[in-house]
Amino acid sequence: MTTPTTRFRPHAHAKLPATMRASVLKSQGDMSMETLPLPQPDADQVLVQVAAVGVCGSDVHYYEHGRIGPYVVDHPLILGHELSGRIAAVGSSVDPARIGQRVAVEPQRPCRTCKQCKAGRYNLCPDIEFYATPPVDGAFAEYVTIQSDFAYDIPDSVSDEAAALIEPLSVGLWACERAGIKPGSRVLIAGAGPIGIIAAQAARAFGATEIYISDIAEDRLAFALQHGATRALNAKTDSVEGLDVDAFIDASGAPQAVRAGIKAVAPAGRVILVGLGADDVELPVSYIQNREIWLSGVFRYTNTWPLAIQLIADGKVDLDILVTGKFNLAQSEEALKAGKQRGQLKAVVYPGR
């Protein structure tokens, strides 16, 4: 029988444990701390000791409802897909010089051989494995494995928290790319939660000069004005129709926000749907047709980590300002509930604590 030490190379100065702690979603609304075997990396993988994990709305949804669409938590599942850490060991095909490097993890594994992967759209791979999406475990654990090329080196100037939040930043960058944001663009963003604020910062980094953001929470609008947006609009009182922006990015998932945002788009403009809301939404079809508006959804991202790391290192995007709650691994359930508290934007779990 092959022993773990012959399958991968551990850190030369640290003895790896045989087990690890993990916070496991046993069923809807039921979290449990467990001791599990240490995962062993395949030949092309690295073993990452997790430093920080951001809590995403999808994690909360799995915890509260036990499913998202066709993905059902019918077996114990480790949540968490926004993560950073340090490489503790490498697979047999990976350069051992990687051991000890701080990394940000892109939490997915495409097949790399299907039509979508070969076309460069690996986010649309039908066989993709994504952290914390049943049945694939995530990062509310002390260690995870990932393909080496999806563990990106980060400079010392980038915090563990910011490195973990490159995952939601990637959603914002991908939305801005699909929206065609360029220098001088005028953009409307609906929703001043974490993704909306990240999208505003991403749009600014892409060169947008007018960035409107709408929400019903005045505290979030005020925060957005300090961190990316140029004008805040209260969705209860301020109409967006007729703004004639080049692009509208919905980060709210609210049907009324989607309909209003579409009517704020100029001819030949773009509408990008990011927020998770109702499965079916009534749209102003004649408006879309008559103005030849291009409408697209966003499903995760591709090839965004290098740009994201550079933007953070250059100070063009600030993710640390989003962190409003810090929790140890045993407090994962508390972290999942934190988003409902007033003033909370992003909770972060630290598995090493």
Side-chain angles (χ1 to χ4, degrees):
M1 180 176 178
T2 303
T3 62
T5 54
T6 61
R7 290 187 59 191
F8 64 91
R9 304 179 180 93
H11 196 299
H13 302 293
K15 180 177 174 59
L16 291 174
T19 60
M20 68 172 184
R21 296 180 308 141
S23 180
V24 181
L25 177 63
K26 306 291 288 185
S27 60
Q28 182 179 342
D30 180 16
M31 299 287 290
S32 173
M33 284 294 296
E34 297 194 5
T35 299
L36 303 174
L38 187 75
Q40 299 181 26
D42 294 336
D44 64 341
Q45 291 184 321
V46 295
L47 178 72
V48 177
Q49 184 173 16
V50 181
V53 190
V55 174
C56 175
S58 65
D59 297 318
V60 177
H61 202 87
Y62 280 125
Y63 170 73
E64 292 182 343
H65 303 285
R67 67 182 300 155
I68 296 179
Y71 300 104
V72 181
V73 181
D74 51 12
H75 292 87
L77 179 72
I78 301 174
L79 297 173
H81 61 265
E82 305 173 0
L83 72 145
S84 65
R86 188 180 297 273
I87 294 177
V90 298
S92 58
S93 298
V94 179
D95 185 350
R98 296 217 66 192
I99 295 173
Q101 292 175 340
R102 294 178 64 237
V103 294
V105 172
E106 182 173 351
Q108 54 188 349
R109 183 178 187 173
C111 77
R112 303 177 189 251
T113 60
C114 71
K115 180 179 179 181
Q116 297 299 334
C117 284
K118 287 186 174 182
R121 299 184 294 263
Y122 64 79
N123 60 318
L124 301 180
C125 170
D127 297 316
I128 198 164
E129 298 175 2
F130 194 87
Y131 274 28
T133 299
V136 182
D137 282 329
F140 282 0
E142 292 181 303
Y143 292 87
V144 298
T145 57
I146 193 71
Q147 273 54 46
S148 180
D149 62 328
F150 274 20
Y152 297 84
D153 295 349
I154 53 173
D156 290 340
S157 61
V158 176
S159 69
D160 290 336
E161 293 84 355
L165 298 186
I166 286 174
E167 199 281 337
L169 172 58
S170 288
V171 175
L173 293 175
W174 192 240
C176 286
E177 183 173 330
R178 293 189 65 75
I181 306 299
K182 58 184 183 297
S185 289
R186 302 175 68 245
V187 186
L188 168 64
I189 299 167
I195 291 295
I197 292 168
I198 284 172
Q201 291 198 49
R204 182 181 60 186
F206 275 46
T209 51
E210 292 184 63
I211 304 169
Y212 299 87
I213 193 161
S214 65
D215 202 294
I216 59 174
E218 287 290 347
D219 57 336
R220 290 198 167 190
L221 289 173
F223 188 86
L225 280 176
Q226 296 173 343
H227 302 288
T230 61
R231 185 177 172 189
L233 301 170
N234 190 309
K236 291 181 178 179
T237 58
D238 300 321
S239 174
V240 300
E241 188 170 345
L243 285 178
D244 272 5
V245 294
D246 301 300
F248 164 55
I249 297 173
D250 178 69
S252 72
Q256 62 271 29
V258 172
R259 289 191 293 269
I262 289 173
K263 291 194 173 182
V265 178
R270 297 194 173 202
V271 172
I272 307 297
L273 304 181
V274 180
L276 293 175
D279 288 337
D280 295 296
V281 177
E282 182 179 337
L283 300 178
V285 175
S286 62
Y287 189 93
I288 294 170
Q289 290 175 322
N290 293 341
R291 293 201 164 202
E292 292 195 350
I293 291 171
W294 189 89
L295 186 150
S296 173
V298 158
F299 188 68
R300 298 171 184 156
Y301 34 68
T302 60
N303 300 311
T304 49
W305 256 252
L307 174 60
I309 292 169
Q310 191 64 55
L311 290 175
I312 298 168
D314 290 346
K316 294 182 178 179
V317 170
D318 186 353
L319 300 178
D320 291 304
I321 49 94
L322 296 173
V323 179
T324 51
K326 298 183 177 183
F327 304 85
N328 63 37
L329 189 60
Q331 297 171 316
S332 297
E333 189 167 11
E334 185 180 342
L336 289 165
K337 297 176 180 178
K340 296 185 181 297
Q341 300 172 11
R342 183 175 177 83
Q344 288 288 336
L345 280 174
K346 204 71 179 177
V348 174
V349 173
Y350 300 85
R353 299 181 184 178

